Amino acid sequence: TTTTTTDSEPKKQKRFQGRSSLVLLSQKILKVSSQSNPKSVAGSIAHITRAGEPPIVTAVGPASVNQAIKAIAIAKTYLLQDNISISFQAEFKHEEKIAYNLYATILKSPFRQQTTPTTEIKVRRESESYKAAGAIAAKIREGERVSVVCITFGAETVYVAIDSISVARQYLRRDGLDFTVTPEFIVFDTPGGGRSALKFELRSYQV
């Protein structure tokens, strides 16, 4: 059996230096590893969110980031029965002895159905994050609703998508724009049958 790494810290304020900003953290932190069970982590996210302020989810490396993002997508489905919608904001931060540590800050709001069409930015494991980030930022500056779709399978593709999203946020800061991310599972038809992948809907706002 695998153990779920969901070590939480009590509410306290910390400061972490990101790529281009100083971020104040005051939420519970769930640390996710490559061996974490996404459903168990999702249960922890849902429990904390129902009780009050949602947690921040952290992960290092493609396999761990993949588990963390899947857990957030699963938690979103758990919370629908409570009429709670969750999204997140992603940022990779340099920390001692760690090249890049993902911080996914989860946000909650009352559930509302999304019906507005989006412009799809498609990423694959071979995609370059900075190019995808540039495309995301350009569309948001034009006022378009954007979604990022993983069109190849596996942890590497999810990692590229999240890195692209993180970089796009930095590109948009100079424009006074930011966005939240809502994950969902989608199914692609393949010769071997349907396979699930991740899609991320972005909702922009003026800072």
Side-chain angles (χ1 to χ4, degrees):
T1 59
T2 59
T3 58
T4 303
T5 307
T6 56
D7 307 323
S8 62
E9 299 181 4
K11 287 189 178 181
K12 53 185 177 181
Q13 293 186 338
K14 292 185 177 181
R15 289 182 181 272
F16 292 96
Q17 182 66 50
R19 285 178 179 170
S20 60
S21 65
L22 195 64
V23 180
L24 182 67
L25 303 182
S26 61
Q27 295 165 279
K28 290 184 178 179
I29 296 175
L30 300 181
K31 299 176 182 178
V32 179
S33 77
S34 60
Q35 300 302 310
S36 296
N37 184 317
K39 289 184 178 180
S40 296
V41 179
S44 296
I45 292 170
H47 175 74
I48 295 168
T49 300
R50 289 187 187 104
E53 192 174 19
I56 292 170
V57 177
T58 71
V60 180
S64 299
V65 168
N66 183 49
Q67 300 297 78
I69 299 304
K70 286 196 294 185
I72 296 172
I74 294 168
K76 183 172 77 79
T77 66
Y78 290 169
L79 289 164
L80 288 179
Q81 61 186 330
D82 302 289
N83 198 37
I84 295 173
S85 177
I86 59 171
S87 58
F88 68 92
Q89 291 184 304
E91 187 167 5
F92 285 90
K93 306 177 190 299
H94 283 290
E95 295 184 6
E96 186 179 357
K97 298 181 181 179
I98 300 175
Y100 285 115
N101 191 5
L102 171 67
Y103 280 78
T105 303
I106 299 177
L107 310 167
K108 76 174 179 179
S109 62
F111 175 76
R112 56 180 180 271
Q113 190 71 39
Q114 305 296 331
T115 57
T116 308
T118 61
T119 299
E120 291 188 350
I121 305 294
K122 297 177 180 179
V123 299
R124 57 180 70 243
R125 67 178 64 89
E126 302 88 2
S127 297
E128 295 182 33
S129 298
Y130 289 89
K131 289 183 179 179
I136 293 167
K139 292 297 182 183
I140 288 177
R141 288 189 192 103
E142 293 169 3
E144 296 189 30
R145 286 284 306 278
V146 178
S147 60
V148 178
V149 182
C150 297
I151 60 171
T152 54
F153 306 105
E156 293 83 2
T157 307
V158 174
Y159 189 86
V160 170
I162 298 302
D163 192 35
S164 301
I165 286 167
S166 174
V167 174
R169 290 186 67 208
Q170 294 178 43
Y171 288 169
L172 290 166
R173 280 173 186 157
R174 71 195 70 172
D175 303 293
L177 295 169
D178 203 349
F179 58 83
T180 60
V181 184
T182 303
E184 66 174 309
F185 291 103
I186 56 176
V187 177
F188 286 110
D189 290 328
T190 68
R195 289 192 63 178
S196 63
L198 281 162
K199 176 179 179 179
F200 305 96
E201 291 204 7
L202 314 184
R203 179 177 289 274
S204 63
Y205 61 91
Q206 198 79 34
V207 177

